[in-house]
Amino acid sequence: MDFIYDTWPWYVSGPLIALVMFLLLFAGKSFGMSSNLRTMCSAMGAEKFADFFKFDWKANIWNLTVVLGVVIGGFLASTFFSNNVVTINPVIATQLQEDYNFNSVNSSYLPKEIFSAEALDNPFNILILLIGGLLVGFGARYAGGCTSGHAISGLSNLQTPSLIAVIGFFIGGLLMIHLLFPLIF
Amino acid sequence: MRFISFLGIGILFGIVLYKSEAASWFRIYEMFQLGSFHMYGIIASAVILGVAGLYFIKKKEIKALNGTAINPTPKEFSVTRYLVGGIFFGLGWALVGACPGPMYVLIGAGYWPILIVIVGALLGTLLYGVLRTKLPH
Protein backbone atom coordinates (compact mmCIF):
# COMPACT_ATOMS: atom_id res chain seq x y z
CA MET A 1 0.00 0.00 0.00
CA ASP A 2 3.00 2.30 0.33
CA PHE A 3 2.86 2.91 -3.39
CA ILE A 4 -0.55 4.56 -3.02
CA TYR A 5 0.57 6.89 -0.21
CA ASP A 6 4.02 7.80 -1.49
CA THR A 7 4.77 10.35 -4.20
CA TRP A 8 3.88 8.84 -7.56
CA PRO A 9 7.16 8.81 -9.50
CA TRP A 10 7.46 10.69 -12.78
CA TYR A 11 7.44 7.48 -14.84
CA VAL A 12 3.99 6.66 -13.44
CA SER A 13 2.57 10.21 -13.39
CA GLY A 14 3.75 11.30 -16.86
CA PRO A 15 2.22 8.30 -18.68
CA LEU A 16 -1.05 8.75 -16.72
CA ILE A 17 -1.20 12.38 -17.85
CA ALA A 18 -0.69 11.20 -21.45
CA LEU A 19 -3.56 8.74 -20.84
CA VAL A 20 -5.82 11.62 -19.75
CA MET A 21 -4.95 13.46 -22.97
CA PHE A 22 -5.75 10.40 -25.11
CA LEU A 23 -9.04 9.78 -23.27
CA LEU A 24 -10.10 13.35 -24.10
CA LEU A 25 -9.00 12.96 -27.73
CA PHE A 26 -11.03 9.76 -28.06
CA ALA A 27 -13.98 11.61 -26.54
CA GLY A 28 -13.62 14.03 -29.48
CA LYS A 29 -12.23 16.87 -27.33
CA SER A 30 -8.82 18.36 -26.66
CA PHE A 31 -6.67 18.49 -23.54
CA GLY A 32 -6.35 22.02 -22.16
CA MET A 33 -7.14 23.26 -18.68
CA SER A 34 -7.09 27.04 -19.14
CA SER A 35 -9.85 27.40 -21.75
CA ASN A 36 -12.40 26.62 -19.02
CA LEU A 37 -11.50 30.01 -17.47
CA ARG A 38 -12.83 31.66 -20.64
CA THR A 39 -15.94 29.45 -20.45
CA MET A 40 -16.51 30.55 -16.85
CA CYS A 41 -16.02 34.23 -17.75
CA SER A 42 -18.62 33.88 -20.52
CA ALA A 43 -21.02 32.01 -18.25
CA MET A 44 -20.76 34.88 -15.77
CA GLY A 45 -21.66 37.45 -18.43
CA ALA A 46 -18.23 38.71 -19.55
CA GLU A 47 -19.58 39.28 -23.08
CA LYS A 48 -20.67 42.70 -21.79
CA PHE A 49 -16.97 43.65 -21.66
CA ALA A 50 -15.49 42.02 -24.77
CA ASP A 51 -16.56 40.13 -27.89
CA PHE A 52 -13.93 37.53 -26.97
CA PHE A 53 -16.51 36.11 -24.56
CA LYS A 54 -19.40 36.04 -27.07
CA PHE A 55 -19.51 32.37 -27.92
CA ASP A 56 -21.74 29.43 -27.18
CA TRP A 57 -20.24 28.60 -23.79
CA LYS A 58 -22.93 25.99 -23.18
CA ALA A 59 -21.21 23.87 -25.87
CA ASN A 60 -18.22 23.80 -23.51
CA ILE A 61 -20.04 22.41 -20.48
CA TRP A 62 -17.99 19.20 -20.82
CA ASN A 63 -14.98 21.30 -19.96
CA LEU A 64 -16.57 22.40 -16.68
CA THR A 65 -17.51 18.78 -15.96
CA VAL A 66 -13.80 17.88 -16.23
CA VAL A 67 -13.04 20.73 -13.79
CA LEU A 68 -15.58 19.31 -11.32
CA GLY A 69 -13.89 15.92 -11.68
CA VAL A 70 -10.47 17.44 -11.02
CA VAL A 71 -11.79 19.04 -7.81
CA ILE A 72 -13.20 15.67 -6.69
CA GLY A 73 -9.91 13.98 -7.63
CA GLY A 74 -8.01 16.48 -5.46
CA PHE A 75 -10.35 15.75 -2.57
CA LEU A 76 -10.05 11.96 -2.91
CA ALA A 77 -6.25 11.99 -3.28
CA SER A 78 -5.63 14.34 -0.36
CA THR A 79 -8.14 12.62 1.94
CA PHE A 80 -7.55 8.93 1.23
CA PHE A 81 -4.25 8.42 -0.58
CA SER A 82 -1.80 10.89 0.87
CA ASN A 83 0.04 11.99 3.99
CA ASN A 84 0.01 15.48 2.41
CA VAL A 85 3.72 16.12 2.81
CA VAL A 86 5.95 16.94 -0.14
CA THR A 87 9.66 16.25 0.24
CA ILE A 88 11.94 18.14 -2.12
CA ASN A 89 15.70 18.27 -2.68
CA PRO A 90 17.22 19.02 0.79
CA VAL A 91 19.59 21.64 -0.64
CA ILE A 92 16.69 23.59 -2.13
CA ALA A 93 14.67 23.10 1.07
CA THR A 94 17.44 24.56 3.24
CA GLN A 95 17.82 27.47 0.86
CA LEU A 96 14.05 28.17 1.04
CA GLN A 97 14.26 28.24 4.85
CA GLU A 98 17.38 30.36 5.05
CA ASP A 99 16.63 32.88 2.30
CA TYR A 100 12.87 33.28 2.60
CA ASN A 101 11.89 31.74 5.97
CA PHE A 102 9.67 29.15 4.30
CA ASN A 103 9.88 26.81 7.27
CA SER A 104 6.96 24.60 6.25
CA VAL A 105 9.11 23.09 3.51
CA ASN A 106 9.33 19.28 3.71
CA SER A 107 6.54 19.18 6.28
CA SER A 108 3.48 20.19 4.23
CA TYR A 109 2.02 20.02 0.70
CA LEU A 110 1.87 23.79 0.18
CA PRO A 111 3.85 26.55 1.93
CA LYS A 112 1.87 27.62 5.01
CA GLU A 113 3.66 30.97 4.69
CA ILE A 114 1.36 31.83 1.75
CA PHE A 115 -1.43 29.24 1.69
CA SER A 116 -2.89 29.22 5.19
CA ALA A 117 -5.71 31.13 6.86
CA GLU A 118 -3.13 32.90 9.09
CA ALA A 119 -1.06 33.95 6.08
CA LEU A 120 -4.12 35.72 4.69
CA ASP A 121 -4.17 38.05 7.71
CA ASN A 122 -1.35 39.74 5.86
CA PRO A 123 -2.79 41.69 2.88
CA PHE A 124 0.59 41.29 1.15
CA ASN A 125 -0.02 37.54 0.76
CA ILE A 126 -3.52 38.13 -0.64
CA LEU A 127 -1.94 40.44 -3.20
CA ILE A 128 0.68 37.79 -4.11
CA LEU A 129 -2.03 35.17 -4.74
CA LEU A 130 -4.19 37.58 -6.72
CA ILE A 131 -1.35 38.86 -8.91
CA GLY A 132 -0.01 35.34 -9.48
CA GLY A 133 -3.45 34.18 -10.59
CA LEU A 134 -3.85 37.24 -12.80
CA LEU A 135 -0.54 36.50 -14.56
CA VAL A 136 -1.51 32.85 -15.08
CA GLY A 137 -4.96 33.70 -16.47
CA PHE A 138 -3.77 36.56 -18.67
CA GLY A 139 -0.68 34.71 -19.89
CA ALA A 140 -2.53 31.48 -20.65
CA ARG A 141 -5.08 33.24 -22.86
CA TYR A 142 -2.47 35.48 -24.51
CA ALA A 143 -0.33 32.42 -25.29
CA GLY A 144 -3.42 30.41 -26.27
CA GLY A 145 -2.86 27.65 -23.76
CA CYS A 146 -1.19 26.53 -20.54
CA THR A 147 0.90 23.60 -19.35
CA SER A 148 -1.64 21.01 -20.52
CA GLY A 149 -2.59 22.68 -23.81
CA HIS A 150 0.92 23.68 -24.91
CA ALA A 151 3.49 21.67 -22.92
CA ILE A 152 1.68 18.31 -23.13
CA SER A 153 -0.88 18.48 -25.94
CA GLY A 154 0.87 20.94 -28.27
CA LEU A 155 4.33 19.39 -27.95
CA SER A 156 2.82 15.92 -28.47
CA ASN A 157 1.45 17.25 -31.76
CA LEU A 158 4.90 18.70 -32.59
CA GLN A 159 3.59 22.26 -32.87
CA THR A 160 6.23 24.99 -33.07
CA PRO A 161 3.95 27.62 -31.43
CA SER A 162 3.67 25.35 -28.38
CA LEU A 163 7.45 25.00 -28.18
CA ILE A 164 7.75 28.81 -28.24
CA ALA A 165 5.10 29.07 -25.51
CA VAL A 166 6.87 26.47 -23.34
CA ILE A 167 10.16 28.35 -23.75
CA GLY A 168 8.23 31.45 -22.61
CA PHE A 169 6.85 29.55 -19.55
CA PHE A 170 10.39 28.70 -18.49
CA ILE A 171 11.82 32.17 -19.15
CA GLY A 172 9.00 33.59 -16.98
CA GLY A 173 9.44 30.98 -14.26
CA LEU A 174 13.22 31.38 -14.07
CA LEU A 175 12.91 35.20 -13.98
CA MET A 176 10.40 34.95 -11.13
CA ILE A 177 12.42 32.52 -8.99
CA HIS A 178 15.88 33.90 -9.59
CA LEU A 179 15.38 37.66 -10.07
CA LEU A 180 12.03 38.63 -8.54
CA PHE A 181 11.80 36.28 -5.51
CA PRO A 182 14.67 38.02 -3.68
CA LEU A 183 12.79 41.31 -4.15
CA ILE A 184 9.34 39.97 -3.20
CA PHE A 185 10.03 37.66 -0.22
CA MET B 1 -23.07 8.86 -19.86
CA ARG B 2 -21.15 11.80 -21.34
CA PHE B 3 -21.31 13.56 -17.99
CA ILE B 4 -19.96 10.50 -16.16
CA SER B 5 -17.15 10.03 -18.72
CA PHE B 6 -15.88 13.59 -18.46
CA LEU B 7 -16.27 13.55 -14.69
CA GLY B 8 -14.27 10.30 -14.55
CA ILE B 9 -11.49 11.70 -16.75
CA GLY B 10 -11.36 14.77 -14.49
CA ILE B 11 -11.18 12.64 -11.32
CA LEU B 12 -8.29 10.61 -12.76
CA PHE B 13 -6.47 13.80 -13.79
CA GLY B 14 -7.06 15.39 -10.36
CA ILE B 15 -5.69 12.36 -8.51
CA VAL B 16 -2.62 12.18 -10.77
CA LEU B 17 -1.88 15.90 -10.38
CA TYR B 18 -2.12 15.65 -6.59
CA LYS B 19 -0.18 12.40 -6.23
CA SER B 20 2.55 13.41 -8.70
CA GLU B 21 2.91 16.60 -6.60
CA ALA B 22 2.69 18.70 -9.77
CA ALA B 23 0.08 20.62 -7.74
CA SER B 24 2.62 21.45 -5.01
CA TRP B 25 4.16 24.92 -4.90
CA PHE B 26 7.36 23.31 -3.57
CA ARG B 27 7.74 21.07 -6.64
CA ILE B 28 7.35 24.03 -9.00
CA TYR B 29 9.93 26.02 -7.02
CA GLU B 30 12.30 23.04 -7.07
CA MET B 31 11.78 22.67 -10.82
CA PHE B 32 12.73 26.29 -11.55
CA GLN B 33 15.73 25.90 -9.22
CA LEU B 34 16.70 22.90 -11.38
CA GLY B 35 16.78 20.92 -8.12
CA SER B 36 15.17 17.68 -9.29
CA PHE B 37 14.37 15.70 -12.42
CA HIS B 38 10.86 14.90 -11.12
CA MET B 39 8.80 17.60 -12.89
CA TYR B 40 10.90 17.40 -16.06
CA GLY B 41 10.42 13.62 -16.07
CA ILE B 42 6.63 14.01 -15.79
CA ILE B 43 6.44 16.43 -18.71
CA ALA B 44 9.01 14.55 -20.84
CA SER B 45 7.44 11.10 -20.37
CA ALA B 46 3.95 12.47 -21.08
CA VAL B 47 5.21 14.20 -24.24
CA ILE B 48 7.20 11.20 -25.51
CA LEU B 49 4.16 8.93 -25.12
CA GLY B 50 1.98 11.70 -26.56
CA VAL B 51 4.13 12.06 -29.68
CA ALA B 52 4.26 8.29 -30.21
CA GLY B 53 0.53 7.83 -29.60
CA LEU B 54 -0.55 10.72 -31.83
CA TYR B 55 1.77 9.53 -34.60
CA PHE B 56 0.18 6.07 -34.43
CA ILE B 57 -3.37 7.50 -34.30
CA LYS B 58 -2.78 9.67 -37.39
CA LYS B 59 -0.98 6.93 -39.31
CA LYS B 60 -3.73 4.37 -38.67
CA GLU B 61 -6.41 7.09 -39.05
CA ILE B 62 -8.00 6.04 -35.78
CA LYS B 63 -11.21 7.97 -35.17
CA ALA B 64 -12.70 9.43 -32.00
CA LEU B 65 -15.77 7.69 -30.54
CA ASN B 66 -18.07 10.17 -32.31
CA GLY B 67 -16.47 9.25 -35.66
CA THR B 68 -14.49 12.47 -36.21
CA ALA B 69 -10.77 12.39 -37.04
CA ILE B 70 -8.34 12.82 -34.14
CA ASN B 71 -6.18 15.64 -35.40
CA PRO B 72 -5.59 18.53 -32.98
CA THR B 73 -5.85 21.80 -34.92
CA PRO B 74 -2.41 23.37 -35.29
CA LYS B 75 -2.12 26.86 -33.85
CA GLU B 76 -1.56 29.81 -36.14
CA PHE B 77 2.15 30.65 -36.33
CA SER B 78 3.51 33.68 -34.50
CA VAL B 79 6.32 34.33 -32.07
CA THR B 80 5.13 37.38 -30.11
CA ARG B 81 1.93 36.03 -28.60
CA TYR B 82 3.40 32.67 -27.59
CA LEU B 83 6.64 34.05 -26.21
CA VAL B 84 5.22 37.11 -24.43
CA GLY B 85 2.07 35.31 -23.28
CA GLY B 86 4.22 32.39 -22.17
CA ILE B 87 6.50 34.65 -20.11
CA PHE B 88 3.50 36.20 -18.32
CA PHE B 89 2.20 32.71 -17.62
CA GLY B 90 5.56 31.48 -16.32
CA LEU B 91 5.90 34.46 -13.96
CA GLY B 92 2.53 33.60 -12.42
CA TRP B 93 3.13 29.85 -12.41
CA ALA B 94 6.35 30.24 -10.42
CA LEU B 95 4.87 32.81 -8.02
CA VAL B 96 1.78 30.86 -6.92
CA GLY B 97 3.11 27.42 -7.85
CA ALA B 98 -0.06 26.45 -9.65
CA CYS B 99 -1.16 26.33 -13.26
CA PRO B 100 -4.85 26.00 -14.18
CA GLY B 101 -5.23 22.22 -13.56
CA PRO B 102 -3.63 22.19 -10.10
CA MET B 103 -5.71 25.21 -9.03
CA TYR B 104 -8.84 23.06 -9.14
CA VAL B 105 -7.06 20.10 -7.49
CA LEU B 106 -6.15 22.35 -4.57
CA ILE B 107 -9.76 23.47 -4.02
CA GLY B 108 -10.69 19.79 -3.68
CA ALA B 109 -7.80 19.26 -1.29
CA GLY B 110 -9.18 22.07 0.88
CA TYR B 111 -6.48 24.75 0.45
CA TRP B 112 -8.99 27.59 0.40
CA PRO B 113 -6.51 30.45 -0.27
CA ILE B 114 -6.22 29.01 -3.80
CA LEU B 115 -9.67 30.54 -4.44
CA ILE B 116 -7.96 33.95 -4.51
CA VAL B 117 -5.63 32.61 -7.23
CA ILE B 118 -8.63 31.41 -9.24
CA VAL B 119 -10.34 34.79 -8.89
CA GLY B 120 -7.08 36.31 -10.15
CA ALA B 121 -6.96 33.88 -13.08
CA LEU B 122 -10.55 34.74 -14.05
CA LEU B 123 -9.72 38.45 -13.87
CA GLY B 124 -6.59 37.83 -15.97
CA THR B 125 -8.68 36.02 -18.59
CA LEU B 126 -11.16 38.90 -18.57
CA LEU B 127 -8.32 41.41 -18.90
CA TYR B 128 -6.97 39.54 -21.93
CA GLY B 129 -10.43 39.52 -23.53
CA VAL B 130 -10.73 43.29 -23.04
CA LEU B 131 -7.21 44.13 -24.27
CA ARG B 132 -7.03 41.50 -27.02
CA THR B 133 -7.47 43.85 -29.98
CA LYS B 134 -4.78 46.20 -28.63
CA LEU B 135 -2.14 43.54 -27.91
CA PRO B 136 0.47 42.46 -30.47
CA HIS B 137 -0.15 38.84 -31.50
Side-chain angles (χ1 to χ4, degrees):
Chain A
M1 287 301 281
D2 280 354
F3 172 77
I4 297 292
Y5 287 97
D6 289 349
T7 308
W8 289 4
W10 61 264
Y11 51 83
V12 171
S13 309
L16 284 173
I17 290 174
L19 174 67
V20 169
M21 176 181 77
F22 284 120
L23 288 174
L24 285 170
L25 288 174
F26 280 116
K29 306 296 181 194
S30 57
F31 180 47
M33 286 305 293
S34 61
S35 51
N36 54 54
L37 291 165
R38 183 185 176 202
T39 310
M40 288 183 218
C41 282
S42 295
M44 290 188 285
E47 63 172 13
K48 286 197 288 280
F49 303 103
D51 287 349
F52 181 62
F53 300 106
K54 268 187 198 146
F55 70 104
D56 181 19
W57 62 268
K58 290 194 174 118
N60 278 353
I61 294 263
W62 67 271
N63 181 320
L64 301 181
T65 311
V66 174
V67 168
L68 179 64
V70 171
V71 173
I72 296 171
F75 169 76
L76 294 174
S78 61
T79 310
F80 301 112
F81 318 128
S82 180
N83 55 9
N84 302 309
V85 172
V86 170
T87 307
I88 62 167
N89 180 334
V91 178
I92 309 288
T94 311
Q95 178 262 335
L96 255 180
Q97 285 174 318
E98 286 176 356
D99 293 359
Y100 305 124
N101 289 316
F102 275 46
N103 291 313
S104 63
V105 65
N106 286 354
S107 64
S108 59
Y109 195 90
L110 291 186
K112 294 195 171 78
E113 290 75 9
I114 323 177
F115 288 96
S116 63
E118 300 80 62
L120 297 189
D121 288 342
N122 183 350
F124 178 75
N125 285 328
I126 297 182
L127 203 63
I128 294 278
L129 296 176
L130 197 64
I131 291 174
L134 198 85
L135 288 165
V136 169
F138 178 80
R141 247 355 350 101
Y142 196 175
C146 62
T147 334
S148 49
H150 276 311
I152 310 288
S153 208
L155 290 185
S156 294
N157 201 30
L158 303 174
Q159 295 171 359
T160 318
S162 293
L163 182 61
I164 300 170
V166 173
I167 292 170
F169 296 168
F170 279 87
I171 294 174
L174 292 170
L175 280 175
M176 177 53 73
I177 301 283
H178 295 277
L179 287 179
L180 299 177
F181 258 49
L183 306 173
I184 298 173
F185 294 108
Chain B
M1 190 55 210
R2 282 170 53 86
F3 177 82
I4 294 293
S5 310
F6 287 119
L7 193 71
I9 294 171
I11 291 174
L12 171 66
F13 189 43
I15 293 176
V16 175
L17 283 176
Y18 194 85
K19 288 304 305 175
S20 67
E21 298 173 354
S24 167
W25 186 97
F26 294 119
R27 283 290 185 190
I28 307 303
Y29 183 83
E30 182 191 45
M31 168 177 77
F32 287 124
Q33 286 284 7
L34 313 179
S36 163
F37 180 69
H38 184 73
M39 288 299 303
Y40 296 99
I42 293 175
I43 297 172
S45 58
V47 170
I48 289 168
L49 283 173
V51 169
L54 264 179
Y55 177 81
F56 183 77
I57 285 171
K58 285 181 191 170
K59 195 165 171 118
K60 298 274 169 197
E61 295 179 6
I62 296 170
K63 301 257 190 290
L65 295 177
N66 60 8
T68 55
I70 295 180
N71 195 2
T73 7
K75 307 234 181 227
E76 202 178 311
F77 188 79
S78 147
V79 173
T80 318
R81 74 170 295 187
Y82 300 113
L83 194 62
V84 177
I87 291 173
F88 274 111
F89 179 87
L91 287 167
W93 187 18
L95 183 59
V96 291
C99 45
M103 287 179 191
Y104 304 117
V105 174
L106 294 171
I107 300 183
Y111 296 97
W112 307 120
I114 200 70
L115 288 169
I116 300 171
V117 178
I118 295 176
V119 169
L122 286 166
L123 288 174
T125 306
L126 182 67
L127 186 66
Y128 171 76
V130 171
L131 298 179
R132 191 170 67 111
T133 50
K134 298 182 185 70
L135 294 168
H137 277 78

